[in-house]
Amino acid sequence: MVSIGKAARTALAGELGGRWRTAAATAGWAFPDDWYVPAVDAVCEAISAAGDVWAPAQRLGRARAAGGILLAESLADIDQLAALVHRRYVAPLRRAVSLGWAEAFATPPVTVTDPLTGLVTADYLRVRLGEVYRGAAAEGLSGNDSLALVVVRLDLAGTRGWHRTLPMMLVGDSMRMVFDGGQTLALLGESVAVTLTGRNPMLGRQASLLGSAVEARLQADTQLSLPSPRVWVEALPPDHAAALDLLIELAR
């Protein structure tokens, strides 16, 4: 058996990751900019080194769950990778991703706040929405009567490392500046954040101000080169279950 050097393995892993990304996009992955997570690299590196894929695939499953990706879609994506590699990897990849995905939902979060952005987690927002809808029901109202979401989405396609993290930190700062009245400010995914806030005649103006603030901060950093952020007001659905489904869709 001929061994290859680290540089060659890294190149092979990068090539495999590129082919996998292309296959995922062709198969209809809903939002291409949320496909990449660091665990993708770990899986490709393990395969390129003919190593054990279990641990990195389990990490990938946890990352997909944290990003709001359904298990069925996560496994469909693994099937795209499986078509590119030796068949001996298929079963362990699927089992490890499934286990990691399940663990992410079975393990309680250790914190309610994201340490980098200062925004609360999606898990906390789900709890908060539950309180909102139960309180509204007790008063004979719907959960969407008085509240709405202001959504910020960045296009982080092609970014890595610090260039992927810093923009959302700037988003968090901007959200705290515009919404400083005790609203719930949450990070839904690597490129999406939301504010749970009361409906008011100025909400559209506040959303516009937030978009301007985020764009100004992004443009002020010469190391960042990103498209303009998308910011909009999203109405909450009338029932709690639909609201939770909405969070999953927005996180994509």
Side-chain angles (χ1 to χ4, degrees):
M1 180 177 178
V2 179
S3 62
I4 60 175
K6 181 177 180 180
R9 290 199 302 270
T10 300
L12 286 174
E15 179 185 353
L16 177 59
R19 293 169 61 201
W20 183 8
R21 178 191 286 273
T22 299
T26 302
W29 186 271
F31 295 92
D33 64 339
D34 73 358
W35 178 85
Y36 174 82
V37 290
V40 165
D41 291 338
V43 169
C44 293
E45 288 165 6
I47 294 174
S48 299
D52 186 355
V53 299
W54 186 272
Q58 197 170 354
R59 280 175 51 201
L60 179 60
R62 288 195 291 267
R64 292 300 190 219
I69 311 300
L70 298 177
L71 179 57
E73 189 168 0
S74 301
L75 292 179
D77 181 50
I78 286 297
D79 290 341
Q80 299 304 314
L81 173 62
L84 303 173
V85 301
H86 194 282
R87 63 187 180 186
R88 72 174 180 271
Y89 292 113
V90 177
L93 281 170
R94 289 181 62 88
R95 288 199 296 267
V97 166
S98 298
L99 179 61
W101 191 95
E103 285 176 343
F105 279 90
T107 304
V110 297
T111 180
V112 299
T113 304
D114 175 71
L116 292 177
T117 64
L119 303 175
V120 301
T121 64
D123 287 323
Y124 179 85
L125 179 59
R126 284 190 281 268
V127 172
R128 182 74 187 98
L129 279 177
E131 295 171 344
V132 167
Y133 278 84
R134 286 193 299 273
E139 298 181 9
L141 302 172
S142 171
N144 64 348
D145 285 337
S146 60
L147 294 172
L149 297 173
V150 177
V151 186
V152 181
R153 180 186 295 279
L154 297 184
D155 182 355
L156 300 180
T159 61
R160 296 289 185 273
W162 188 247
H163 288 86
R164 194 172 185 86
T165 304
L166 177 58
M168 293 308 294
M169 294 172 64
L170 299 178
V171 167
D173 288 342
S174 300
M175 291 171 69
R176 283 185 288 273
M177 179 186 72
V178 176
F179 294 99
D180 59 355
Q183 296 91 343
T184 301
L185 313 178
L187 184 68
L188 285 191
E190 284 195 330
S191 61
V192 183
V194 301
T195 299
L196 177 63
T197 184
R199 289 179 177 273
N200 65 79
M202 295 298 294
L203 189 55
R205 171 62 179 159
Q206 287 179 294
S208 178
L209 179 60
L210 177 58
S212 298
V214 172
E215 184 156 20
R217 288 178 180 243
L218 293 175
Q219 291 180 348
D221 193 314
T222 57
Q223 296 185 0
L224 297 176
S225 179
L226 297 174
S228 297
R230 290 182 56 208
V231 181
W232 71 95
V233 177
E234 183 79 31
L236 286 171
D239 65 89
H240 183 218
L244 296 181
D245 289 341
L246 174 63
L247 293 187
I248 292 175
E249 289 301 316
L250 291 176
R252 302 296 304 279

